[in-house]
Amino acid sequence: LQYYEMSYGLNIEMHKQAEIVKRLNGICAQVLPYLSQEHQQQVLGAIERAKQVTAPELNSIIRQQLQAHQLSQLQALALPLTPLPVGLQPPSLPAVSAGTGLLSLSALGSQAHLS
């Protein structure tokens, strides 16, 4: 019985993800014509790349984001307690661009299609 409940819950979640992907694709299709030619090419490239993301790559992306989030939380806790000596800068995290965010969202959607 527990297996069927888990299976049903997973199936519902996959349908939700597929619906989200469908809606995001629709939004991208509506917004794309308003972008400059250069940005259109970047978005189309990110979308195509996202369609090719494999499950291990997706897990790696999620793991990296979780680690970056945890690191930023630790830094936020540590910075007020330990002021840096004059001239030293705190370590910085890589910037997340719109393309990276879109890739992550699209990756999640393509995972829904893989299963």
Side-chain angles (χ1 to χ4, degrees), residues 44-70:
L44 289 172
I47 289 171
E48 286 306 311
R49 171 67 181 106
K51 289 177 183 178
Q52 299 168 5
V53 172
T54 64
E57 286 176 302
L58 180 62
N59 287 333
S60 175
I61 291 167
I62 292 170
R63 193 176 310 111
Q64 288 172 359
Q65 289 179 345
L66 284 173
Q67 288 172 348
H69 179 70
Q70 290 170 347

Side-chain angles (χ1 to χ4, degrees), residues 27-37 39-40:
I27 291 169
C28 287
Q30 289 177 340
V31 171
L32 199 62
Y34 297 104
L35 299 176
S36 69
Q37 190 68 26
H39 286 119
Q40 284 183 17

Side-chain angles (χ1 to χ4, degrees), residues 14 17 21 50-51 53-59 62 105-115:
M14 297 307 287
Q17 293 295 326
V21 169
K51 289 177 183 178
V53 172
T54 64
E57 286 176 302
L58 180 62
N59 287 333
I62 292 170
L105 285 175
S106 299
L108 287 175
S110 64
Q111 177 63 27
H113 290 298
L114 291 175
S115 297

